[in-house]
Amino acid sequence: MKRSFLFTAITFLTLFIGLISFSPLTDANLVDDVLSQTNKFRKSKGLPALIINEDLNAIAQKHSINMAKKKVGFGHGGFSQRESQARKKVKPLYRFAENVAYGVTTGKQVVTMWKNSSGHRRNMLGRYKYIGIGIARDRQGRIFYTQVFAG
């Protein structure tokens, strides 16, 4: 009995460690990927790279979490509040924009989606200096993305 329990415990622990250690792309990697793909796109159009801003990241992250938890619907609801929060953090702030998406699993995929949408494309190519990126997963594992731009 003790031997059976010990074998089961070791097997479970091994499987558990294997599962939690297998993470092909963490959310931090995903943020870096979105930033890299966005700046690659801007560079291809002769525009300067955007600078990641931690205050904007927090604003974008909160929106992604709220969408993933269904506290707000998918989209731009609450945009004016996020803009107001950004105005308190980024000085001076002349322009503010936002892109949201969900469902795709890589930075390249989400940036490609945005590039193929005129409004999102315009935001990525706008006269902005800073970017914030937020990523959250819902219970089904779908990824919600938010980009906010400030300049």
Side-chain angles (χ1 to χ4, degrees):
M1 170 107 162
K2 285 183 182 179
R3 184 176 280 174
S4 175
F5 174 77
L6 184 60
F7 177 77
T8 302
I10 290 172
T11 302
F12 175 77
L13 186 59
T14 302
L15 288 171
F16 179 74
I17 289 171
L19 284 173
I20 63 169
S21 66
F22 178 73
S23 179
L25 197 58
T26 66
D27 287 348
N29 292 138
L30 207 42
V31 167
D32 291 342
D33 195 24
V34 171
L35 176 64
S36 172
Q37 293 295 322
T38 301
N39 279 334
K40 182 178 175 182
F41 179 51
R42 287 176 61 84
K43 184 178 179 183
S44 76
K45 303 299 181 188
L47 297 169
L50 296 168
I51 301 165
I52 199 92
N53 177 288
E54 291 304 321
D55 291 323
L56 294 176
N57 279 355
I59 292 167
Q61 183 66 29
K62 184 175 180 186
H63 186 53
S64 288
I65 289 169
N66 286 341
M67 287 188 296
K69 289 184 174 183
K70 298 188 183 342
K71 290 184 176 181
V72 299
F74 171 74
H76 301 286
F79 175 82
S80 59
Q81 289 88 349
R82 288 186 293 285
E83 181 178 16
S84 177
Q85 291 170 348
R87 286 194 183 285
K88 294 174 186 171
K89 301 290 184 177
V90 178
K91 305 282 184 184
L93 182 69
Y94 302 109
R95 289 171 290 289
F96 186 78
E98 171 182 88
N99 287 345
V100 297
Y102 79 95
V104 295
T105 59
T106 69
K108 185 173 185 172
Q109 289 171 330
V110 75
V111 170
T112 298
M113 281 176 47
W114 286 327
K115 284 172 22 180
N116 292 326
S117 162
S118 62
H120 296 102
R121 179 185 183 91
R122 185 173 41 254
N123 290 343
M124 288 193 299
L125 297 177
R127 290 179 30 211
Y128 301 104
K129 182 175 181 178
Y130 301 107
I131 187 172
I133 301 167
I135 293 168
R137 298 169 195 268
D138 68 8
R139 290 185 179 184
Q140 291 75 38
R142 288 178 298 206
I143 303 171
F144 288 75
Y145 300 84
T146 304
Q147 283 184 318
V148 292
F149 304 91

